[in-house]
Amino acid sequence: MNIAVCIKQVPATESKIRPSADGKDIDRTGLSFVVNPYDEFGLEEALKIKEQVGKGTVTVISIGEDKTIEALRTCLAVGADQAIHIKDPALSGSDTHAIALVLTAALQKENYDIIFFGKQAIDNDSGAVGIHVAELMNLPHVAVINKLEVSPDDKKAVAHRQIEGGTEVINIDLPAIFTCQKELNVPRYASLPGIMKAKQKPMTIYSLNDLNIATDAVGAEKAMITLDQLSPPEKRTAGTALEGNAGEAVTALVRLLHEEAKIF
Amino acid sequence: MSDKFDVAIVGAGPSGSAAALTLAKAGLSVVVFERGEFPGSKNMFGGVLYTPILEKLVPNFWEEAPLERHIVKRRFGLFSEFSEAAFEFRCEDFNQKPPFNQSFSALRAQFDPWLAKKAEDAGALIIPETVVDDLLWKDGKVIGVKARREGGEIEADVVILADGVNSFLAKKSGLRKDFTWNVLAVAAKEIIALPRGTIEDRFGLEGDEGLAMECFGDVVAGTVGAGFIYTNKETLSVGVACSINAFIDKKIVPNDLLERFKNHPSIRRLIRGGETLEYAGHMIPEGGHKQVPEVISDGLLLVGDAAHFVNASFYHEGTNLAMASGLFAAETIIEAKKKDDFSQRGLKGYLKKLEESFVLKDLKKYRQVEDWAHKNGRFFKEYPDLMLDVLKDYFTVSETPKSVIQQNIVKKLRSQLKPLRTLVELNRFRKSFFSS
Ligand SMILES: Cc1cc2nc3c(=O)[nH]c(=O)nc-3n(C[C@H](O)[C@H](O)[C@H](O)COP(=O)(O)OP(=O)(O)OC[C@H]3O[C@@H](n4cnc5c(N)ncnc54)[C@H](O)[C@@H]3O)c2cc1C
Ligand SMILES: Cc1cc2nc3c(=O)[nH]c(=O)nc-3n(C[C@H](O)[C@H](O)[C@H](O)COP(=O)(O)OP(=O)(O)OC[C@H]3O[C@@H](n4cnc5c(N)ncnc54)[C@H](O)[C@@H]3O)c2cc1C
């Protein structure tokens, strides 16, 4: 059973995010970074399946700058067997499509039975890459799963996903792609021996060239999405208490909603 | 167990990383546990790094270390509610070429990871996000540590406790007693962002020049303590540090004291318009020489703040002593390894190195300062107030003839100072700070 988990390094949840000076990106100075929490569910599920099946490898893959190696190391410490770090200066300014293209190229170098993604990355929140890769690789996928059972012969799986008012249960043939939701499992922590062994585990670094992708196929120039402007949420101003009895207050509220908030 | 290390270090602050770097360079196997998300992530200090030892650890450190400004100017201010008198010293000799005057403003969240990385590059294994809960013992000898993770028991020939002022492991080991309140100071500090040019204009600096400024008297409610501002490139480190007793006596909390400092008319203008990026609190071991515990036992050494190595007198110097003690501990272990003797006797060279260096010499020299300060509170409140009052009288412009003004000043001084007591107190001051 070969399993790949695509992980993204994202600013820690408690970070104070500010747009960069040009308003096109976030200011990363002083931020601390973690493995995208939804990707941790993918890694945990991969490790569980490997343990259950009793054989196979778990590979973690990430696109990102030098610092990304820390996130990959964390995954190795938690239990992944090997890591692939894709970095290339030409990737700067890439949009979701380019990220999916590059991941696809890396994933196609091996035969994976299962590929996990997070349901979304908590920084850019596109919720798109996993599904996009499924399309490019022409693989079946189930998005936002909260339970997964793999058949004893490794050929099939049953995936559960929460839908409004119920659960959808999907039988799927492997190889397949899944994007993970938080109820899927409880990710484990790295053990001390795990952390110590992580350094010796294989870490492959790919450039675009290694993946046979032309540098001009990705990057800002090729982005299908243009990012206009990142802006911080408007500062919340203090609320206003409306005076008077219920009738007067409601009248005042309706007037404010109409004239100030302009919601109707 | 193949996972046994030569040395396990708890804490990747300046002392732990200095030890790790030295040991790893000598080819010993070293593991460093750091509870923070990364070394330095939660660490704070006032803001001036003294670097003579750093230069030994990393020659030409200034070419790569994340330093802010080199200090060319020191300022000591005495404050009353509305006035300030200051002494400022600036020296062009401190502005010539690196390492300048071996003092640089710095931010720990940048400096600590850099030094830890140096140790890592030399071969040390740094394990962040991992708390050490206990020591492992065998036959009364320390043989390793127990980290809060699955499979967390790690053996080592020697354990170095570099876990800072709160070191509960040092207490557990029996080397150190709990610090009592009166030997600890509490500090609150903000990092306030201002444009580079504004900082340089306000503080009279050019390029990467920096200022270290300490403020006494009313700004810190007349307590035994000080307010400080250290200039970084695009931020100011602004804080207060006072003995815990002072906070209890004055019934004030550190944060309120910091606000008081920031709102003094003389300080307010220096930080105006700045955006507070971070707030942090921390303790400082200020008991000086007599608080230094036993620092060696079988298989165990104490370094840095865990051993109370802070020279609080004039200098608020801790990082330099931390790195020095880390270096000495490492050198001692390297020698001990040759004889394979890690007993208290085998490690006793550590104490000798400390005693022969500025670490214990300085702490010894200033051993009376802490006592002096606590017994001579007038130097922090009454005397500054009186001095500033007198200066105000002197500089106030009016039709009163100058001779009368001077007579009035003399009268005021006579009525408020008890000459004998003042002389005795000044003599104590001289003795505490200037005798050896
Ligand atoms: C015009 C434009 C320019 C951009 N420029 C940059 C830039 O210069 N630098 C930059 O960092 N970002 C840049 N981005 C953002 C970047 O394109 C997105 O992060 C990326 O498209 C993935 O979207 P997402 O993070 O919202 O992922 P989602 O679709 O929310 O992620 C879902 C899952 O996909 C996987 N995944 C996502 N990203 C990665 C990754 N990098 N490696 C491995 N797996 C991954 C994870 O499993 C994740 O849980 C830019 C975006 C646009 C539109
Ligand atoms: C407000 C203030 C101002 C100061 N100003 C200055 C100054 O201007 N100049 C100067 O030179 N010094 C200054 N000092 C003193 C200086 O900060 C310290 O002396 C110095 O940091 C001591 O270094 P250390 O490595 O011994 O301890 P620390 O820097 O405290 O490092 C201890 C490390 O151990 C880690 N740790 C603790 N317990 C555990 C555990 N159980 N398991 C794993 N890890 C653990 C901590 O996370 C930390 O990283 C100041 C101190 C304060 C509080």
Side-chain angles (χ1 to χ4, degrees):
Chain A
M1 178 68 91
N2 284 332
I3 308 175
V5 187
C6 293
I7 64 128
K8 185 179 186 186
Q9 190 182 41
V10 296
T13 26
E14 73 274 14
S15 308
K16 241 186 168 177
I17 304 286
R18 310 199 255 187
S20 57
D22 66 359
K24 298 284 183 200
D25 199 352
I26 60 165
D27 183 356
R28 291 187 166 74
T29 44
L31 293 184
S32 50
F33 290 84
V34 297
V35 176
N36 179 38
Y38 293 108
D39 305 351
E40 290 182 327
F41 300 118
L43 176 59
E44 176 62 32
E45 201 62 18
L47 297 174
K48 273 170 58 183
I49 294 170
K50 182 188 149 185
E51 282 159 6
Q52 184 192 316
V53 175
K55 60 178 192 296
T57 52
V58 173
T59 308
V60 282
I61 307 178
S62 190
I63 304 174
E65 291 162 13
D66 290 346
K67 211 176 156 43
T68 307
I69 207 154
E70 296 163 12
L72 288 167
R73 264 227 186 90
T74 304
C75 296
L76 293 175
V78 169
D81 301 295
Q82 54 182 3
I84 296 174
H85 181 192
I86 305 165
K87 61 172 178 180
D88 200 303
L91 280 165
S92 160
S94 292
D95 65 358
T96 323
H97 175 62
I99 297 292
L101 264 184
V102 175
L103 285 175
T104 300
L107 288 163
Q108 280 172 333
K109 277 187 167 259
E110 294 285 332
N111 290 318
Y112 296 106
D113 303 294
I114 298 180
I115 304 170
F116 285 114
F117 289 83
K119 85 167 164 100
Q120 77 198 88
I122 61 160
D123 54 352
N124 294 84
D125 277 328
S126 313
V129 174
I131 307 165
H132 206 130
V133 171
E135 180 65 23
L136 290 171
M137 292 184 75
N138 202 18
L139 283 178
H141 84 272
V142 186
V144 201
I145 60 165
N146 53 21
K147 189 173 168 194
L148 186 67
E149 291 152 327
V150 176
S151 68
D153 66 355
D154 302 359
K155 296 278 186 282
K156 286 185 183 352
V158 183
H160 295 233
R161 59 198 301 268
Q162 209 69 44
I163 54 168
E164 207 164 317
T167 303
E168 206 169 57
V169 181
I170 295 159
N171 290 300
I172 191 167
D173 288 336
L174 300 181
I177 285 179
F178 303 96
T179 77
C180 305
Q181 169 67 315
K182 58 170 170 274
E183 291 81 17
L184 188 59
N185 53 45
V186 181
R188 69 193 71 181
Y189 290 104
S191 70
L192 200 53
I195 294 173
M196 294 190 184
K197 270 186 242 139
K199 277 216 163 157
Q200 276 96 51
K201 288 181 175 174
M203 170 86 68
T204 311
I205 296 175
Y206 286 145
S207 65
L208 288 175
N209 190 30
D210 299 327
L211 296 172
N212 292 321
I213 297 177
T215 48
D216 60 6
V218 296
E221 297 286 295
K222 276 287 150 62
M224 296 180 177
I225 303 169
T226 44
L227 180 78
D228 244 18
Q229 180 79 39
L230 281 175
S231 48
E234 259 178 44
K235 278 220 174 96
R236 287 172 60 171
T237 48
T240 334
L242 300 174
E243 309 270 323
N245 63 29
E248 288 160 2
V250 167
T251 316
L253 179 62
V254 170
R255 187 184 60 76
L256 284 175
L257 289 175
H258 182 58
E259 290 171 11
E260 308 257 316
K262 298 200 165 64
I263 61 165
F264 60 92
Chain B
M1 193 164 112
S2 67
D3 280 344
K4 182 174 170 183
F5 287 84
D6 290 325
V7 185
I9 301 177
V10 186
S15 63
S17 290
L21 172 58
T22 311
L23 290 161
K25 271 200 288 196
L28 274 69
S29 65
V30 190
V31 59
V32 186
F33 296 95
E34 168 54 50
R35 69 174 169 198
E37 183 195 329
F38 59 88
S41 57
K42 291 203 188 88
N43 297 350
M44 71 94 100
F45 79 148
V48 181
L49 199 68
Y50 300 96
T51 54
I53 298 297
L54 182 59
E55 192 176 3
K56 288 195 180 148
L57 295 168
V58 186
N60 294 1
F61 65 88
W62 54 87
E63 287 169 6
E64 44 170 321
L67 303 168
E68 293 286 321
R69 293 170 179 272
H70 59 276
I71 303 300
V72 297
K73 232 179 0 184
R74 304 209 66 125
R75 183 183 168 92
F76 297 89
L78 271 185
F79 292 73
S80 67
E81 194 178 353
F82 295 113
S83 312
E84 175 198 4
F87 170 78
E88 189 169 287
F89 178 73
R90 181 187 186 286
C91 184
E92 194 54 28
D93 279 357
F94 296 169
N95 201 24
Q96 295 305 308
K97 61 175 201 304
F100 303 105
N101 188 32
Q102 298 280 20
S103 40
F104 297 83
S105 56
L107 298 165
R108 295 284 298 277
Q110 289 166 15
F111 178 77
D112 287 15
W114 172 80
L115 190 60
K117 181 77 174 42
K118 283 271 143 203
E120 190 168 36
D121 291 347
L125 178 59
I126 313 258
I127 302 188
E129 291 187 279
T130 305
V131 179
V132 171
D133 281 322
D134 221 334
L135 298 167
L136 299 178
W137 297 83
K138 194 176 169 193
D139 306 329
K141 184 183 167 327
V142 174
I143 55 153
V145 297
K146 186 172 185 316
R148 198 181 300 166
R149 275 190 189 274
E150 196 193 313
E153 299 197 349
I154 295 291
E155 289 186 23
D157 284 333
V158 186
V159 173
I160 298 180
L161 294 182
D163 50 345
V165 55
N166 286 328
S167 182
F168 67 92
L169 292 170
K171 281 174 238 160
K172 272 193 175 172
S173 76
L175 281 182
R176 201 181 99 175
K177 287 201 239 16
D178 224 344
F179 288 148
T180 50
W181 281 1
N182 54 2
V183 304
L184 292 177
V186 175
K189 167 183 162 180
E190 285 179 9
I191 295 186
I192 297 180
L194 279 171
R196 207 187 157 115
T198 308
I199 293 179
E200 282 152 25
D201 291 349
R202 279 188 197 171
F203 294 90
L205 305 166
E206 281 176 4
D208 283 346
E209 294 170 9
L211 159 83
M213 158 169 170
E214 264 114 41
C215 311
F216 303 90
D218 190 82
V219 272
V220 285
T223 57
V224 178
F228 58 80
I229 298 184
Y230 303 118
T231 57
N232 302 313
K233 284 201 173 101
E234 295 181 330
T235 55
L236 301 174
S237 293
V238 180
V240 292
C242 294
S243 74
I244 293 191
N245 275 338
F247 285 111
I248 297 169
D249 288 349
K250 303 268 169 188
K251 297 192 173 54
I252 190 166
V253 297
N255 189 40
D256 291 347
L257 198 66
L258 178 55
E259 285 307 310
R260 177 184 180 118
F261 177 56
K262 283 165 56 193
N263 283 309
H264 190 281
S266 292
I267 301 299
R268 204 168 54 211
R269 70 202 56 245
L270 297 174
I271 59 176
R272 189 183 59 228
E275 185 196 352
T276 299
L277 301 182
E278 277 174 41
Y279 173 87
H282 205 280
M283 282 199 286
I284 316 176
E286 291 202 326
H289 190 259
K290 69 170 185 282
Q291 287 298 327
V292 171
E294 292 286 322
V295 293
I296 311 168
S297 77
D298 292 335
L300 185 70
L301 294 177
L302 255 57
V303 297
D305 275 12
H308 216 115
F309 293 148
V310 172
N311 178 359
S313 61
F314 268 144
Y315 303 93
H316 277 282
E317 182 183 349
T319 47
N320 196 28
L321 284 74
M323 288 187 274
S325 55
L327 170 68
F328 298 156
E331 288 173 348
T332 308
I333 294 169
I334 294 165
E335 283 157 31
K337 188 164 166 70
K338 290 183 195 143
K339 295 186 204 129
D340 202 31
D341 179 3
F342 306 103
S343 68
Q344 188 168 18
R345 267 196 55 216
L347 295 172
K348 72 174 190 297
Y350 175 49
L351 188 63
K352 191 147 176 270
K353 284 174 191 283
L354 290 168
E355 278 168 347
E356 283 169 1
S357 74
F358 69 96
V359 175
L360 284 181
K361 284 199 170 138
D362 284 356
L363 285 180
K364 206 164 167 193
K365 171 169 163 52
Y366 292 111
R367 65 190 176 277
Q368 295 170 11
V369 168
E370 204 53 28
D371 257 4
W372 167 83
H374 287 284
K375 290 191 187 132
N376 295 272
R378 266 185 292 278
F379 278 87
F380 295 86
K381 174 76 187 146
E382 284 82 359
Y383 291 163
D385 278 354
L386 178 61
M387 180 181 134
L388 288 155
D389 195 30
V390 162
L391 284 170
K392 185 181 150 206
D393 293 347
Y394 188 78
F395 287 117
T396 300
V397 176
S398 70
E399 286 177 39
T400 317
K402 300 283 183 275
S403 55
V404 176
I405 293 181
Q406 286 181 7
Q407 280 163 12
N408 288 342
I409 287 178
V410 171
K411 260 190 232 155
K412 193 177 250 175
L413 287 174
R414 281 228 176 97
S415 73
Q416 297 197 20
L417 287 179
K418 298 207 176 91
L420 198 57
R421 186 179 73 190
T422 307
L423 269 180
V424 169
E425 284 179 345
L426 280 172
N427 193 39
R428 280 199 215 125
F429 175 79
R430 184 192 59 77
K431 264 168 89 185
S432 309
F433 281 89
F434 300 108
S435 67
S436 52

